[in-house]
Amino acid sequence: MAKHGNIGKARQTSRQARRVYEFVRPAEIDSGEITHFPVVIAGGGPIGLASAIDLARYGVPAVVLEKHNSVGDGSRAICWAKRTLEILDRIGVSSRMMEKGVVWNQGWVYFGEDSEPIYKFDLLPDKQQKFPAFINLQQFYAEEYLIDLFPQYPQTGIRWQNEVVGVDNGADKVVVTVRTPVGEYQLSCDYLIAADGHRSPIRDALGLDFVGRTFEDNFLIADVRMKADFPAIRRFWFDPPFNPGQTSLIHKQADDVWRIDFQMGWDIDREEVMKEANIDAKIRAFLGADIEFDYEWVSLYTFKCCRMEKFVHGRTLFAGDSAHLVSPFGARGANGGLQDVDNLVWKLHLVLRGAAPPELIRSYDHERLLGAEENVVNSSRSTDFMTPKSAVSLAFRNATLELAKDFEFARRLVNPGRLSAPSVLDGSPLNTPDEDEFSDRQRPGAPCLDAPVTINGAAAWFLNQLGERFVGVYFRAEGSIPAGLDEVGTESIPVATLVVSVTATGPGLITDTSGLLHRHYDARPGTYYLVRPDQHIAGRWREFNRDKAATALARATGRAG
């Protein structure tokens, strides 16, 4: 039987298990002075924390202002995608997340009363990768791991129980008003990152809003702790006997915690649904009579698929849930927000030290709006498929599911939440379009694919060689290295050079022993790629030409059209 403690108490216990951080009286309250920071970050969730650490790695001081005194309550985001793990690897927390998290690459889809899945899918067809397709890990762990990095960067800090409640978004600086338990004070900054969540007070203060849809449906989410031998994969049901006419989903997290989602429909009595006896009955119908469990976190929610029309508003920059919202099906929320961080921080760094013009930051608008719109569209389509609003759409969905048992084409139409994928920045003003013939896979704007390599005989991974800098990757032809390979960059924006060979070894050489790197990048001897600090491709050529590469660098840093 379930242990019937009450759900409210279970939630409180979960909160108490999280760390609590000390409020420190800000010096500005007593001095009345306005301290200036290059960057102020509103919000201490994963997006705000990652922004601060990434900035610190570039040597940019910042301060995070967080209204609460602890990390997020409950599991919240749990699915961390391969691209996100690559970003967090550079920032410095991926190893702890991998050690604690639950690895998964597969998904199973069920329909009706069938006890066997109608089909299975693999999200990591290329197994020669450092990271899996996904890990499942409660959001508060990711936040704690990021917080643990702050002592390494004394110029960067977190102020707990400090909430931004006012914004003066000036032409040359931003002044924020901050509320604390002992009074208000002000800070100024060159740029403000608004990572203050879906109810963003900063968005409200600037009179801004979302555009998009609210879906007329309710979902019950329950994180339960239990010992179960269920497979650690994503399992999704359409019209199961334990939730007839609706959908359900289960995921395993760390600490023997399982995330269970139930679609509930729109016209429900929310108070009745949230009674413990009714939640118990729902979960028991799913799990069976013999499994013992405790509640970790329970919530009933509706959601929106929407975004702001622009993310850049003068010197105030929106990221994460303050900028865009999607359904939880597809794991596109936190993963999309961390792609925001990856895109924005290197640009802030170059602009703040005068190496690039402010136009570079405006490119964040173009590039991340592409990613946000992709996430909104995919989440909207997923929700429409999961929650048919007419007899015709229901008939289409069910026919598709029946066909998916036997036919691959139908499986491509089934949409239980298209899962988070790296954003390809097609049409970005920072891209240099191809002038040579290449495959489409690693085109300008695409994030770099990883591959195992060796360096001086030691096993390594390609992405770990890129770092947070501009890099020129030259696929070595037989014979000498072309002149000018180390002269692409400028004094303010240097470009490191990586030379890749299939067989040769030596100082500074990356040996592509498996040939996988050449296949990923459609590389022939002499091929040259220019890669941005966020590991997206700026341009590529079949032969190295210093002038073309230098022009592409200028374009990728906002200094040329």
Side-chain angles (χ1 to χ4, degrees):
M1 292 293 292
K3 297 177 181 177
H4 297 283
N6 74 34
I7 292 173
K9 183 177 180 181
R11 294 177 68 181
Q12 185 179 10
T13 301
S14 177
R15 253 197 321 271
Q16 290 171 346
R18 308 283 72 79
R19 302 179 192 172
V20 175
Y21 299 93
E22 180 184 3
F23 168 73
V24 177
R25 184 183 181 92
E28 293 85 357
I29 286 182
D30 297 318
S31 71
E33 296 180 354
I34 301 177
T35 306
H36 186 83
F37 291 87
V39 180
V40 167
I41 301 166
I47 309 310
L49 295 170
S51 296
I53 296 299
D54 208 10
L55 285 164
R57 289 174 60 79
Y58 283 107
V60 178
V63 61
V64 177
L65 304 175
E66 168 53 44
K67 67 181 290 187
H68 299 295
N69 66 348
S70 65
V71 297
D73 182 23
S75 299
R76 300 185 185 272
I78 63 167
C79 297
W80 307 92
K82 175 178 175 291
R83 179 60 192 150
T84 297
L85 293 169
E86 291 167 350
I87 294 167
L88 293 174
D89 194 36
R90 179 174 53 76
I91 290 174
V93 295
S94 65
S95 60
R96 291 186 71 184
M97 292 178 67
M98 285 291 296
E99 182 179 353
K100 184 70 174 178
V102 175
V103 171
W104 64 279
N105 294 312
Q106 290 188 20
W108 294 1
V109 178
Y110 298 80
F111 178 43
E113 297 185 358
D114 289 344
S115 60
E116 295 296 320
I118 57 173
Y119 73 93
K120 304 175 182 180
F121 57 88
D122 189 340
L123 294 164
L124 192 72
D126 180 359
K127 303 303 180 187
Q128 293 183 284
Q129 296 290 298
K130 181 175 183 178
F131 294 107
F134 283 90
I135 66 167
N136 285 350
L137 182 67
Q138 295 90 316
Q139 179 177 311
F140 55 75
Y141 282 120
E143 292 174 352
E144 288 175 354
Y145 298 161
L146 287 163
I147 291 165
D148 287 344
L149 295 178
F150 275 73
Q152 299 179 29
Y153 306 101
Q155 288 184 296
T156 296
I158 311 173
R159 298 188 182 189
W160 300 99
Q161 293 181 271
N162 283 241
E163 180 185 11
V164 175
V165 293
V167 180
D168 180 3
N169 195 22
D172 58 347
K173 65 181 178 181
V174 182
V175 177
V176 297
T177 300
V178 187
R179 178 185 296 153
T180 78
V182 296
E184 294 185 353
Y185 68 97
Q186 291 185 315
L187 297 176
S188 67
C189 56
D190 295 298
Y191 289 95
L192 170 65
I193 297 178
D196 52 344
H198 69 283
R199 294 189 179 93
S200 175
I202 293 175
R203 195 178 59 238
D204 290 343
L206 296 180
L208 303 170
D209 204 350
F210 286 131
V211 293
R213 299 170 57 188
T214 299
F215 287 89
E216 294 186 352
D217 213 329
N218 291 283
F219 291 84
L220 175 68
I221 181 173
D223 284 357
V224 300
R225 186 186 297 270
M226 63 182 179
K227 295 287 187 180
D229 58 0
F230 301 147
I233 57 177
R234 185 181 196 262
R235 294 195 293 158
F236 192 99
W237 284 262
F238 290 95
D239 192 19
F242 51 81
N243 196 24
Q246 309 289 354
T247 63
S248 293
L249 171 70
I250 188 169
H251 269 289
K252 185 179 182 181
Q253 306 172 59
D255 304 327
D256 293 316
V257 174
W258 296 77
R259 162 72 52 84
I260 305 174
D261 271 298
F262 297 98
Q263 181 188 3
M264 302 299 295
W266 182 242
D267 188 17
I268 62 172
D269 184 334
R270 295 174 66 88
E271 289 188 8
E272 189 70 17
V273 166
M274 287 301 289
K275 290 180 178 178
E276 183 173 359
N278 293 331
I279 294 174
D280 278 351
K282 201 79 178 170
I283 294 175
R284 178 60 57 217
F286 188 174
L287 298 179
D290 299 328
I291 294 180
E292 199 172 88
F293 64 87
D294 283 317
Y295 291 108
E296 284 282 306
W297 188 57
V298 178
S299 180
L300 184 67
Y301 65 93
T302 58
F303 57 84
K304 295 181 178 180
C305 290
C306 54
R307 62 170 177 80
M308 298 177 68
E309 290 186 342
K310 294 196 306 178
F311 298 166
V312 177
H313 292 266
R315 291 178 174 267
T316 299
L317 316 169
F318 289 83
D321 284 354
S322 70
H324 42 77
L325 286 175
V326 291
S327 78
F329 302 100
R332 292 174 176 267
N335 288 299
L338 284 161
Q339 290 188 52
D340 292 345
V341 174
D342 197 41
N343 188 282
L344 177 60
V345 166
W346 70 272
K347 297 174 180 179
L348 278 171
H349 163 239
L350 291 181
V351 171
L352 284 168
R353 68 180 179 85
E359 286 75 17
L360 181 61
I361 292 176
R362 288 197 282 273
S363 73
Y364 169 70
D365 232 355
H366 181 100
E367 293 187 338
R368 287 311 301 154
L369 281 171
L370 288 173
E373 183 61 21
E374 178 184 5
N375 287 338
V376 166
V377 167
N378 275 282
S379 292
S380 298
R381 289 173 178 169
S382 297
T383 307
D384 286 337
F385 189 86
M386 291 161 50
T387 60
K389 297 302 188 292
S390 69
V392 171
S393 59
L394 176 61
F396 170 79
R397 188 199 73 175
N398 289 349
T400 302
L401 291 167
E402 288 289 351
L403 289 168
K405 297 176 182 179
D406 301 306
F407 299 102
E408 178 64 33
F409 83 90
R411 294 171 188 172
R412 292 193 295 269
L413 300 175
V414 176
N415 197 336
R418 298 278 188 241
L419 287 153
S420 176
S423 180
V424 178
L425 309 175
D426 288 323
S428 168
L430 306 188
N431 295 346
T432 294
D434 284 334
E435 59 183 44
D436 301 320
E437 185 176 341
F438 279 92
S439 68
D440 193 49
R441 190 177 190 189
Q442 290 295 96
R443 61 188 181 273
C448 287
L449 286 168
D450 207 359
V453 296
T454 60
I455 300 175
N456 297 326
W461 291 99
F462 175 65
L463 290 188
N464 288 141
Q465 314 315 309
L466 298 178
E468 47 272 292
R469 56 189 179 168
F470 276 94
V471 176
V473 181
Y474 178 71
F475 290 85
R476 181 181 179 181
E478 294 298 327
S480 61
I481 301 296
L485 201 60
D486 292 324
E487 300 173 3
V488 173
T490 65
E491 183 176 348
S492 60
I493 306 179
V495 175
T497 300
L498 298 178
V499 178
V500 180
S501 172
V502 175
T503 57
T505 60
L509 272 178
I510 294 175
T511 307
D512 182 20
T513 51
S514 68
L516 185 60
L517 204 60
H518 280 70
R519 293 196 296 275
H520 279 338
Y521 292 85
D522 187 21
R524 301 196 292 256
T527 297
Y528 181 83
Y529 277 77
L530 180 66
V531 180
R532 303 173 0 169
D534 58 3
Q535 301 177 352
H536 283 255
I537 294 163
R540 57 183 180 172
W541 302 267
R542 284 301 181 191
E543 294 182 357
F544 172 74
N545 180 291
R546 182 200 170 280
D547 291 338
K548 290 180 180 179
T551 299
L553 176 66
R555 183 167 186 163
T557 52
R559 294 177 291 128

